[in-house]
Amino acid sequence: MFTSLVKQAEEMGLLDLSSVAIDATKVEAYEKSVPRKNIIQNGNAADWGIKSDTNGNPIKWFGYKLHIGTDVRSGLPIAMKVTPANYSDSSVALELVEKCCANTQSKIVYFLMDAGYDHREIYSVIRDKYHAQAIIALNKRGAKQPPEGFDWDGTPICSARYRMVYWGSYQGVNKFRCPHIMGKCDCPFGSAWCSDSNYGMVVKTKVKDDPRLFSSPHRGSANWQKQYNLRTYSERCFSRFKENLGLEDGLNVRKITKVETHAYLCAITMIAAVIAINQDSSTRSSAA
């Protein structure tokens, strides 16, 4: 029923699907908490989880995680999965990506995720298998320096140690120009030190060479940041689930299968309501 409603919403033009945000939220178990040593690790039992809130503060709970792929235009879920709370967000990412593509017909261009999903395999599979771009914040994981010749966001550093200027992307190739020529710095060596051309030195990076560091659009660009900012639509979806549809306060079932059923009923209610409102609006417009 959930998949059918997603397809109906897409056919009605309620979903954009060019960008899909993927994230996870905590779901506290209705059953009594038990010590971790007594939990049977079979992928079905409630477990202890820890996750940072929007301010970076750790939150610990006993229960499950709800993983959702959200259409950023409508804020509607298009793919879901419930796991024990100890599952990492990144371990479910590719399964959600697959479900998002299977549940819809439109081409998904961008998959938006936070730094918890920063794994090379996710970038590569999204690019190679689904021909889409992963927009994921970098997790430096204790790295003290960026890759040699580049800044943290994949911007090339010129021989005078200035950040080069992003000059567009075409078919997975990013172009960067001399910052002195572009008026972004006053290089003591001038542009002639790096290039004899009046155009200045040019450096190109290819996404296929390092899908994690390089992306199209470039990580340091306004377009990349604009896409990444859309990721907050997943938070709005979670908020509706919890505040309006009783995902937590109304949860009075035990075991992961029943919790997942409860979550799907929340999603079905949300999508069905949006479809009904838009169908009613269309009917009234036709009658007028």
Side-chain angles (χ1 to χ4, degrees):
M1 185 181 294
F2 169 76
T3 303
S4 176
L5 287 173
V6 170
K7 293 184 183 299
Q8 184 178 349
E10 182 182 8
E11 291 170 358
M12 293 176 62
L14 302 178
L15 307 178
D16 178 72
L17 295 174
S18 59
S19 299
V20 171
I22 290 179
D23 205 353
T25 188
K26 70 180 184 72
V27 178
E28 295 185 2
Y30 185 64
E31 56 257 50
K32 182 180 178 181
S33 61
V34 297
R36 171 159 288 176
K37 64 180 181 179
N38 295 336
I39 298 174
I40 300 175
Q41 301 292 335
N42 58 6
N44 295 316
D47 208 324
W48 289 97
I50 187 167
K51 188 176 178 68
S52 298
D53 62 14
T54 54
N55 297 316
N57 301 312
I59 300 174
K60 187 176 182 181
W61 78 100
F62 179 75
Y64 308 93
K65 269 186 183 179
L66 173 61
H67 307 260
I68 289 185
T70 308
D71 171 59
V72 299
R73 173 189 168 188
S74 62
L76 294 175
I78 61 173
M80 297 171 49
K81 183 177 178 64
V82 175
T83 66
N86 63 321
Y87 275 46
S88 67
D89 294 355
S90 59
S91 66
V92 185
L94 291 178
E95 184 177 348
L96 271 184
V97 169
E98 182 179 5
K99 285 186 175 184
C100 288
C101 294
N103 291 349
T104 58
Q105 298 296 323
S106 302
K107 166 68 176 175
I108 299 175
V109 182
Y110 302 109
F111 286 97
L112 322 176
M113 311 177 207
D114 62 29
Y117 296 88
D118 182 24
H119 289 263
R120 291 189 180 276
E121 183 186 9
I122 295 176
Y123 293 96
S124 298
V125 172
I126 288 177
R127 179 184 180 276
D128 297 335
K129 183 175 180 180
Y130 300 102
H131 307 291
Q133 176 64 58
I135 302 292
I136 306 175
L138 285 178
N139 186 344
K140 297 176 183 178
R141 293 190 180 89
K144 296 181 180 180
Q145 294 182 356
E148 185 176 357
F150 296 94
D151 208 342
W152 288 110
D153 60 7
T155 301
I157 303 296
C158 75
S159 52
R161 307 307 299 168
Y162 292 106
R163 280 171 57 91
M164 299 190 70
V165 179
Y166 176 57
W167 203 243
S169 177
Y170 180 70
Q171 294 185 346
V173 178
N174 295 329
K175 180 180 178 180
F176 300 86
R177 292 183 62 187
C178 170
H180 180 79
I181 288 288
M182 300 303 296
K184 298 298 182 179
C185 70
D186 185 14
C187 179
F189 305 103
S191 62
W193 189 41
C194 301
S195 173
D196 296 332
S197 170
N198 292 332
Y199 193 77
M201 184 178 70
V202 173
V203 173
K204 295 181 179 180
T205 61
K206 297 180 180 180
V207 177
K208 68 178 183 178
D209 292 340
D210 189 342
R212 177 177 179 266
L213 184 60
F214 307 135
S215 69
S216 179
H218 169 56
R219 278 187 180 278
S221 68
N223 285 339
W224 188 97
Q225 190 61 49
K226 180 180 179 181
Q227 283 295 326
Y228 184 73
N229 290 344
L230 296 175
R231 187 185 55 82
T232 56
Y233 275 85
S234 61
E235 298 293 338
R236 301 178 191 181
C237 183
F238 291 141
S239 178
R240 294 186 182 112
F241 268 52
K242 294 181 177 182
E243 296 179 11
N244 305 119
L245 298 170
L247 178 63
E248 282 193 327
D249 294 340
L251 185 65
N252 56 3
V253 293
R254 297 181 174 88
K255 305 301 180 182
I256 194 168
T257 303
K258 293 182 180 180
V259 172
E260 188 168 51
T261 300
H262 183 82
Y264 268 110
L265 288 173
C266 292
I268 288 168
T269 302
M270 181 187 295
I271 300 175
V274 173
I275 289 175
I277 290 171
N278 282 272
Q279 283 180 333
D280 185 53
S281 299
S282 298
T283 302
R284 282 182 292 176
S285 297
S286 299

